[in-house]
Amino acid sequence: MTLPETIDAEQLADRVAAGDAAAVAVELREQQPADAAEVINELPEHARAEILSHLSARDVSHLLEYLVRHGERALTPLARLPGGSLTAIFNRTPLGTAARVLREMPRELRSEIVDSLAERDIVRNLLAQDEETAGALVTTDFLALRERMTVMQAQATIRTSEILTRRLSHVYVVDNDDRLVGSVSFRQLLLSPQNLDLGRIMRRDPISVFAGTDQEECARIMERYRLDTLPTVDAEGRLLGFIDLPEVLRIAEGEATEDMYMIVGLSAEESVNTSIARSVRLRMPWLLVNLVTAFAAAAVVGMFESTIARAAILAAFLPIVGGQGGNAIIQTVTIAVRSIALGELTLRNARQVLVKETMLGLTHGAAMGVVAAVAVFLWSQELILSIALGVAMVINMLVAGAAGVLIPLILRRFGVDPALAAGIFGTTVTDVVGFGVLLALAAVSIGVLGL
């Protein structure tokens, strides 16, 4: 069931303001949690807090998994709920989700809530993990079977367990020290003889990751091996929990969005709902960096001021060379950044990729250079300057292909996210090279031929 199309967030906010919050809460309770969370996220903060206060702890706990995907803004109303209500909510919430939500809450409130939880030690351990690693994403509400259990005992354990296994096609098997040793499918448990030990039918040494493994690496492993879940272990091999497919899809979507934003100097924290003041703080730094790098290109142009004075038409050529080079390097940088994120571009195959992109740049440059030179000659009748433009285009596109691979790799080598700065530095390189080559060739032509 979904909300009627005629009811939107604005109408719900008006109803809450009119004192109808309890009825709105009842309607939202009947929706799928993902749909209800999306509607709640669109409401003003006071309306969100009012609705959450009319929902049971169980209802709110079901919403948290989806509210946390909308970021800090969606979770701020939780701080308005009484401490006892928050404790009841988080005690009913899967521990992995609880930890992700608590990370978005003010430190003092977070500490107060954690201290009141039944599983406080586990939650503290999850909060201590780097939020970009497997340890922060792990689902700790899982069922593990013992290696020496018989099939009959395993079936009985599953039937009587209060831990949900609805998302799993199999369960993990541990030894007496809780170290992960294998996995067994529900199909095997159903069809195998009742007296067999799990050690006889399980699949040994399943693919797993350590708690400190980067979340992008986890996503790559699950995609490579087509896994629905990925077990996470500590340094001694003890099973901590697992990462499931929906969580990895969320990671992949978030990382793709973050890379896309960063390439143009935006923060993944920003959205259409971000305040003007916060948007200014997020965007201004990289706009200033871009301004500083633009002065490098301006300085190159300034060195050839006399050349431009003698052939003013060169000023019209500069955007052609700079624009084509900028477009080309952004294309290459985008591919390189994404390939680095997916593990497809490494130092081992960097030379092969560099040669390929350089040759691609040379090919594109030759084609674009000829077209540009012919078009400019037909327009201006300046043969030598048209040839200079064509040559500058070839060289700049070649440089764009090489720099588009090298800049992300260099930034990665120095610990800088390639997505964050590669685009800005890349366009600076193509502007400086393109302007410099064109104006230098023009200066030589003018000096030799007396144009």
Side-chain angles (χ1 to χ4, degrees), residues 192-219:
S192 297
Q194 297 281 294
N195 61 343
L196 278 184
D197 287 346
L198 295 185
R200 298 274 302 277
I201 64 171
M202 71 182 184
R203 179 177 180 179
R204 291 192 173 274
D205 299 321
I207 295 169
S208 62
V209 294
F210 290 111
T213 305
D214 185 86
Q215 63 181 18
E216 290 187 62
E217 179 63 18
C218 295

PDB file of all heavy atoms in Angstrom, residues 192-219:
ATOM      1  N   SER A 192      20.055 -32.992   3.602  1.00  0.00           N
ATOM      2  CA  SER A 192      21.118 -33.876   4.106  1.00  0.00           C
ATOM      3  C   SER A 192      20.580 -34.806   5.202  1.00  0.00           C
ATOM      4  O   SER A 192      19.619 -34.462   5.912  1.00  0.00           O
ATOM      5  CB  SER A 192      22.275 -33.048   4.664  1.00  0.00           C
ATOM      6  OG  SER A 192      22.861 -32.259   3.644  1.00  0.00           O
ATOM      7  N   PRO A 193      21.204 -35.966   5.370  1.00  0.00           N
ATOM      8  CA  PRO A 193      20.818 -36.891   6.458  1.00  0.00           C
ATOM      9  C   PRO A 193      20.919 -36.214   7.819  1.00  0.00           C
ATOM     10  O   PRO A 193      21.850 -35.440   8.078  1.00  0.00           O
ATOM     11  CB  PRO A 193      21.842 -38.028   6.325  1.00  0.00           C
ATOM     12  CG  PRO A 193      22.256 -37.987   4.883  1.00  0.00           C
ATOM     13  CD  PRO A 193      22.238 -36.537   4.489  1.00  0.00           C
ATOM     14  N   GLN A 194      19.973 -36.512   8.682  1.00  0.00           N
ATOM     15  CA  GLN A 194      19.852 -35.822   9.955  1.00  0.00           C
ATOM     16  C   GLN A 194      21.051 -36.030  10.882  1.00  0.00           C
ATOM     17  O   GLN A 194      21.340 -35.183  11.717  1.00  0.00           O
ATOM     18  CB  GLN A 194      18.594 -36.296  10.680  1.00  0.00           C
ATOM     19  CG  GLN A 194      17.296 -35.979   9.929  1.00  0.00           C
ATOM     20  CD  GLN A 194      16.877 -34.530  10.118  1.00  0.00           C
ATOM     21  OE1 GLN A 194      16.540 -34.131  11.217  1.00  0.00           O
ATOM     22  NE2 GLN A 194      16.938 -33.755   9.051  1.00  0.00           N
ATOM     23  N   ASN A 195      21.756 -37.139  10.739  1.00  0.00           N
ATOM     24  CA  ASN A 195      22.832 -37.449  11.681  1.00  0.00           C
ATOM     25  C   ASN A 195      24.211 -36.966  11.238  1.00  0.00           C
ATOM     26  O   ASN A 195      25.195 -37.164  11.939  1.00  0.00           O
ATOM     27  CB  ASN A 195      22.881 -38.955  11.946  1.00  0.00           C
ATOM     28  CG  ASN A 195      23.166 -39.738  10.659  1.00  0.00           C
ATOM     29  OD1 ASN A 195      23.012 -39.220   9.562  1.00  0.00           O
ATOM     30  ND2 ASN A 195      23.579 -40.990  10.829  1.00  0.00           N
ATOM     31  N   LEU A 196      24.304 -36.347  10.070  1.00  0.00           N
ATOM     32  CA  LEU A 196      25.599 -35.856   9.582  1.00  0.00           C
ATOM     33  C   LEU A 196      26.018 -34.602  10.345  1.00  0.00           C
ATOM     34  O   LEU A 196      25.191 -33.738  10.665  1.00  0.00           O
ATOM     35  CB  LEU A 196      25.521 -35.529   8.089  1.00  0.00           C
ATOM     36  CG  LEU A 196      25.670 -36.678   7.091  1.00  0.00           C
ATOM     37  CD1 LEU A 196      25.650 -36.133   5.672  1.00  0.00           C
ATOM     38  CD2 LEU A 196      26.957 -37.466   7.333  1.00  0.00           C
ATOM     39  N   ASP A 197      27.327 -34.484  10.633  1.00  0.00           N
ATOM     40  CA  ASP A 197      27.852 -33.243  11.201  1.00  0.00           C
ATOM     41  C   ASP A 197      27.909 -32.171  10.124  1.00  0.00           C
ATOM     42  O   ASP A 197      28.118 -32.470   8.932  1.00  0.00           O
ATOM     43  CB  ASP A 197      29.270 -33.460  11.741  1.00  0.00           C
ATOM     44  CG  ASP A 197      29.272 -34.280  13.021  1.00  0.00           C
ATOM     45  OD1 ASP A 197      28.179 -34.447  13.610  1.00  0.00           O
ATOM     46  OD2 ASP A 197      30.356 -34.750  13.408  1.00  0.00           O
ATOM     47  N   LEU A 198      27.759 -30.910  10.550  1.00  0.00           N
ATOM     48  CA  LEU A 198      27.839 -29.806   9.590  1.00  0.00           C
ATOM     49  C   LEU A 198      29.202 -29.756   8.905  1.00  0.00           C
ATOM     50  O   LEU A 198      29.313 -29.333   7.743  1.00  0.00           O
ATOM     51  CB  LEU A 198      27.565 -28.472  10.292  1.00  0.00           C
ATOM     52  CG  LEU A 198      26.158 -28.281  10.863  1.00  0.00           C
ATOM     53  CD1 LEU A 198      26.009 -26.864  11.407  1.00  0.00           C
ATOM     54  CD2 LEU A 198      25.088 -28.555   9.814  1.00  0.00           C
ATOM     55  N   GLY A 199      30.248 -30.179   9.639  1.00  0.00           N
ATOM     56  CA  GLY A 199      31.584 -30.181   9.043  1.00  0.00           C
ATOM     57  C   GLY A 199      31.688 -31.053   7.814  1.00  0.00           C
ATOM     58  O   GLY A 199      32.580 -30.856   6.981  1.00  0.00           O
ATOM     59  N   ARG A 200      30.760 -32.021   7.665  1.00  0.00           N
ATOM     60  CA  ARG A 200      30.770 -32.927   6.511  1.00  0.00           C
ATOM     61  C   ARG A 200      30.104 -32.318   5.290  1.00  0.00           C
ATOM     62  O   ARG A 200      30.407 -32.725   4.154  1.00  0.00           O
ATOM     63  CB  ARG A 200      30.053 -34.232   6.889  1.00  0.00           C
ATOM     64  CG  ARG A 200      30.694 -35.013   8.031  1.00  0.00           C
ATOM     65  CD  ARG A 200      31.786 -35.936   7.521  1.00  0.00           C
ATOM     66  NE  ARG A 200      31.296 -36.881   6.522  1.00  0.00           N
ATOM     67  CZ  ARG A 200      30.688 -38.026   6.813  1.00  0.00           C
ATOM     68  NH1 ARG A 200      30.495 -38.362   8.093  1.00  0.00           N
ATOM     69  NH2 ARG A 200      30.300 -38.827   5.845  1.00  0.00           N
ATOM     70  N   ILE A 201      29.188 -31.391   5.501  1.00  0.00           N
ATOM     71  CA  ILE A 201      28.408 -30.883   4.362  1.00  0.00           C
ATOM     72  C   ILE A 201      28.673 -29.400   4.068  1.00  0.00           C
ATOM     73  O   ILE A 201      28.264 -28.894   3.028  1.00  0.00           O
ATOM     74  CB  ILE A 201      26.902 -31.072   4.597  1.00  0.00           C
ATOM     75  CG1 ILE A 201      26.434 -30.232   5.790  1.00  0.00           C
ATOM     76  CG2 ILE A 201      26.559 -32.535   4.793  1.00  0.00           C
ATOM     77  CD1 ILE A 201      24.924 -30.202   5.949  1.00  0.00           C
ATOM     78  N   MET A 202      29.356 -28.737   4.981  1.00  0.00           N
ATOM     79  CA  MET A 202      29.530 -27.288   4.790  1.00  0.00           C
ATOM     80  C   MET A 202      30.586 -26.989   3.723  1.00  0.00           C
ATOM     81  O   MET A 202      31.448 -27.826   3.409  1.00  0.00           O
ATOM     82  CB  MET A 202      29.948 -26.626   6.105  1.00  0.00           C
ATOM     83  CG  MET A 202      31.364 -26.950   6.545  1.00  0.00           C
ATOM     84  SD  MET A 202      31.758 -26.181   8.127  1.00  0.00           S
ATOM     85  CE  MET A 202      33.490 -26.640   8.292  1.00  0.00           C
ATOM     86  N   ARG A 203      30.511 -25.765   3.206  1.00  0.00           N
ATOM     87  CA  ARG A 203      31.538 -25.280   2.287  1.00  0.00           C
ATOM     88  C   ARG A 203      32.601 -24.587   3.130  1.00  0.00           C
ATOM     89  O   ARG A 203      32.321 -23.602   3.801  1.00  0.00           O
ATOM     90  CB  ARG A 203      30.935 -24.294   1.289  1.00  0.00           C
ATOM     91  CG  ARG A 203      31.943 -23.732   0.306  1.00  0.00           C
ATOM     92  CD  ARG A 203      31.278 -22.826  -0.692  1.00  0.00           C
ATOM     93  NE  ARG A 203      32.237 -22.291  -1.637  1.00  0.00           N
ATOM     94  CZ  ARG A 203      31.935 -21.476  -2.642  1.00  0.00           C
ATOM     95  NH1 ARG A 203      30.670 -21.100  -2.817  1.00  0.00           N
ATOM     96  NH2 ARG A 203      32.868 -21.045  -3.452  1.00  0.00           N
ATOM     97  N   ARG A 204      33.828 -25.106   3.067  1.00  0.00           N
ATOM     98  CA  ARG A 204      34.879 -24.603   3.954  1.00  0.00           C
ATOM     99  C   ARG A 204      35.485 -23.289   3.442  1.00  0.00           C
ATOM    100  O   ARG A 204      35.479 -23.013   2.244  1.00  0.00           O
ATOM    101  CB  ARG A 204      35.987 -25.644   4.124  1.00  0.00           C
ATOM    102  CG  ARG A 204      35.520 -26.854   4.908  1.00  0.00           C
ATOM    103  CD  ARG A 204      36.678 -27.750   5.317  1.00  0.00           C
ATOM    104  NE  ARG A 204      36.190 -28.816   6.205  1.00  0.00           N
ATOM    105  CZ  ARG A 204      36.064 -28.694   7.504  1.00  0.00           C
ATOM    106  NH1 ARG A 204      36.402 -27.543   8.088  1.00  0.00           N
ATOM    107  NH2 ARG A 204      35.606 -29.694   8.235  1.00  0.00           N
ATOM    108  N   ASP A 205      36.025 -22.529   4.396  1.00  0.00           N
ATOM    109  CA  ASP A 205      36.761 -21.293   4.118  1.00  0.00           C
ATOM    110  C   ASP A 205      36.014 -20.365   3.153  1.00  0.00           C
ATOM    111  O   ASP A 205      36.495 -20.064   2.057  1.00  0.00           O
ATOM    112  CB  ASP A 205      38.145 -21.618   3.541  1.00  0.00           C
ATOM    113  CG  ASP A 205      38.984 -22.426   4.508  1.00  0.00           C
ATOM    114  OD1 ASP A 205      38.912 -22.137   5.717  1.00  0.00           O
ATOM    115  OD2 ASP A 205      39.703 -23.344   4.052  1.00  0.00           O
ATOM    116  N   PRO A 206      34.825 -19.929   3.530  1.00  0.00           N
ATOM    117  CA  PRO A 206      34.112 -18.984   2.662  1.00  0.00           C
ATOM    118  C   PRO A 206      34.878 -17.663   2.546  1.00  0.00           C
ATOM    119  O   PRO A 206      35.669 -17.312   3.433  1.00  0.00           O
ATOM    120  CB  PRO A 206      32.782 -18.780   3.386  1.00  0.00           C
ATOM    121  CG  PRO A 206      33.078 -19.086   4.820  1.00  0.00           C
ATOM    122  CD  PRO A 206      34.112 -20.171   4.790  1.00  0.00           C
ATOM    123  N   ILE A 207      34.648 -16.960   1.457  1.00  0.00           N
ATOM    124  CA  ILE A 207      35.295 -15.658   1.249  1.00  0.00           C
ATOM    125  C   ILE A 207      34.834 -14.712   2.348  1.00  0.00           C
ATOM    126  O   ILE A 207      33.641 -14.584   2.620  1.00  0.00           O
ATOM    127  CB  ILE A 207      34.929 -15.098  -0.134  1.00  0.00           C
ATOM    128  CG1 ILE A 207      35.508 -15.998  -1.231  1.00  0.00           C
ATOM    129  CG2 ILE A 207      35.448 -13.670  -0.308  1.00  0.00           C
ATOM    130  CD1 ILE A 207      34.985 -15.696  -2.611  1.00  0.00           C
ATOM    131  N   SER A 208      35.795 -14.056   2.990  1.00  0.00           N
ATOM    132  CA  SER A 208      35.474 -13.144   4.083  1.00  0.00           C
ATOM    133  C   SER A 208      36.423 -11.958   4.043  1.00  0.00           C
ATOM    134  O   SER A 208      37.407 -11.957   3.289  1.00  0.00           O
ATOM    135  CB  SER A 208      35.579 -13.860   5.431  1.00  0.00           C
ATOM    136  OG  SER A 208      36.908 -14.303   5.654  1.00  0.00           O
ATOM    137  N   VAL A 209      36.135 -10.937   4.849  1.00  0.00           N
ATOM    138  CA  VAL A 209      36.995  -9.753   4.941  1.00  0.00           C
ATOM    139  C   VAL A 209      37.224  -9.430   6.409  1.00  0.00           C
ATOM    140  O   VAL A 209      36.436  -9.803   7.280  1.00  0.00           O
ATOM    141  CB  VAL A 209      36.373  -8.532   4.233  1.00  0.00           C
ATOM    142  CG1 VAL A 209      36.291  -8.754   2.737  1.00  0.00           C
ATOM    143  CG2 VAL A 209      34.999  -8.197   4.825  1.00  0.00           C
ATOM    144  N   PHE A 210      38.315  -8.718   6.682  1.00  0.00           N
ATOM    145  CA  PHE A 210      38.577  -8.238   8.027  1.00  0.00           C
ATOM    146  C   PHE A 210      37.758  -6.975   8.287  1.00  0.00           C
ATOM    147  O   PHE A 210      37.342  -6.285   7.356  1.00  0.00           O
ATOM    148  CB  PHE A 210      40.059  -7.946   8.214  1.00  0.00           C
ATOM    149  CG  PHE A 210      40.919  -9.176   8.231  1.00  0.00           C
ATOM    150  CD1 PHE A 210      41.795  -9.447   7.192  1.00  0.00           C
ATOM    151  CD2 PHE A 210      40.840 -10.072   9.293  1.00  0.00           C
ATOM    152  CE1 PHE A 210      42.583 -10.586   7.196  1.00  0.00           C
ATOM    153  CE2 PHE A 210      41.631 -11.223   9.307  1.00  0.00           C
ATOM    154  CZ  PHE A 210      42.492 -11.475   8.256  1.00  0.00           C
ATOM    155  N   ALA A 211      37.566  -6.684   9.552  1.00  0.00           N
ATOM    156  CA  ALA A 211      36.752  -5.518   9.927  1.00  0.00           C
ATOM    157  C   ALA A 211      37.312  -4.223   9.376  1.00  0.00           C
ATOM    158  O   ALA A 211      36.569  -3.280   9.105  1.00  0.00           O
ATOM    159  CB  ALA A 211      36.633  -5.440  11.453  1.00  0.00           C
ATOM    160  N   GLY A 212      38.627  -4.149   9.184  1.00  0.00           N
ATOM    161  CA  GLY A 212      39.240  -2.918   8.695  1.00  0.00           C
ATOM    162  C   GLY A 212      39.272  -2.774   7.189  1.00  0.00           C
ATOM    163  O   GLY A 212      39.807  -1.787   6.663  1.00  0.00           O
ATOM    164  N   THR A 213      38.686  -3.715   6.452  1.00  0.00           N
ATOM    165  CA  THR A 213      38.678  -3.652   4.982  1.00  0.00           C
ATOM    166  C   THR A 213      37.831  -2.480   4.505  1.00  0.00           C
ATOM    167  O   THR A 213      36.725  -2.263   4.989  1.00  0.00           O
ATOM    168  CB  THR A 213      38.124  -4.964   4.389  1.00  0.00           C
ATOM    169  OG1 THR A 213      38.879  -6.060   4.886  1.00  0.00           O
ATOM    170  CG2 THR A 213      38.202  -4.943   2.862  1.00  0.00           C
ATOM    171  N   ASP A 214      38.357  -1.726   3.535  1.00  0.00           N
ATOM    172  CA  ASP A 214      37.630  -0.582   3.003  1.00  0.00           C
ATOM    173  C   ASP A 214      36.305  -1.021   2.386  1.00  0.00           C
ATOM    174  O   ASP A 214      36.222  -2.077   1.754  1.00  0.00           O
ATOM    175  CB  ASP A 214      38.484   0.135   1.945  1.00  0.00           C
ATOM    176  CG  ASP A 214      37.831   1.406   1.444  1.00  0.00           C
ATOM    177  OD1 ASP A 214      38.007   2.458   2.072  1.00  0.00           O
ATOM    178  OD2 ASP A 214      37.118   1.341   0.417  1.00  0.00           O
ATOM    179  N   GLN A 215      35.268  -0.199   2.566  1.00  0.00           N
ATOM    180  CA  GLN A 215      33.936  -0.581   2.091  1.00  0.00           C
ATOM    181  C   GLN A 215      33.875  -0.728   0.571  1.00  0.00           C
ATOM    182  O   GLN A 215      33.131  -1.560   0.051  1.00  0.00           O
ATOM    183  CB  GLN A 215      32.897   0.438   2.566  1.00  0.00           C
ATOM    184  CG  GLN A 215      33.098   1.831   2.036  1.00  0.00           C
ATOM    185  CD  GLN A 215      32.052   2.794   2.575  1.00  0.00           C
ATOM    186  OE1 GLN A 215      31.392   2.517   3.560  1.00  0.00           O
ATOM    187  NE2 GLN A 215      31.902   3.923   1.918  1.00  0.00           N
ATOM    188  N   GLU A 216      34.662   0.047  -0.165  1.00  0.00           N
ATOM    189  CA  GLU A 216      34.670  -0.101  -1.620  1.00  0.00           C
ATOM    190  C   GLU A 216      35.257  -1.440  -2.017  1.00  0.00           C
ATOM    191  O   GLU A 216      34.802  -2.070  -2.985  1.00  0.00           O
ATOM    192  CB  GLU A 216      35.455   1.046  -2.263  1.00  0.00           C
ATOM    193  CG  GLU A 216      34.764   2.395  -2.180  1.00  0.00           C
ATOM    194  CD  GLU A 216      35.490   3.453  -2.981  1.00  0.00           C
ATOM    195  OE1 GLU A 216      35.595   3.312  -4.214  1.00  0.00           O
ATOM    196  OE2 GLU A 216      35.961   4.423  -2.380  1.00  0.00           O
ATOM    197  N   GLU A 217      36.277  -1.898  -1.288  1.00  0.00           N
ATOM    198  CA  GLU A 217      36.855  -3.212  -1.551  1.00  0.00           C
ATOM    199  C   GLU A 217      35.825  -4.302  -1.273  1.00  0.00           C
ATOM    200  O   GLU A 217      35.737  -5.293  -2.006  1.00  0.00           O
ATOM    201  CB  GLU A 217      38.099  -3.406  -0.695  1.00  0.00           C
ATOM    202  CG  GLU A 217      38.771  -4.765  -0.859  1.00  0.00           C
ATOM    203  CD  GLU A 217      39.307  -5.011  -2.256  1.00  0.00           C
ATOM    204  OE1 GLU A 217      39.476  -4.037  -3.025  1.00  0.00           O
ATOM    205  OE2 GLU A 217      39.541  -6.184  -2.593  1.00  0.00           O
ATOM    206  N   CYS A 218      35.024  -4.128  -0.222  1.00  0.00           N
ATOM    207  CA  CYS A 218      33.953  -5.084   0.081  1.00  0.00           C
ATOM    208  C   CYS A 218      32.964  -5.173  -1.079  1.00  0.00           C
ATOM    209  O   CYS A 218      32.540  -6.267  -1.470  1.00  0.00           O
ATOM    210  CB  CYS A 218      33.215  -4.673   1.353  1.00  0.00           C
ATOM    211  SG  CYS A 218      34.219  -4.720   2.849  1.00  0.00           S
ATOM    212  N   ALA A 219      32.601  -4.019  -1.615  1.00  0.00           N
ATOM    213  CA  ALA A 219      31.661  -4.001  -2.738  1.00  0.00           C
ATOM    214  C   ALA A 219      32.251  -4.703  -3.955  1.00  0.00           C
ATOM    215  O   ALA A 219      31.555  -5.454  -4.655  1.00  0.00           O
ATOM    216  CB  ALA A 219      31.295  -2.553  -3.084  1.00  0.00           C
TER     217      ALA A 219
END
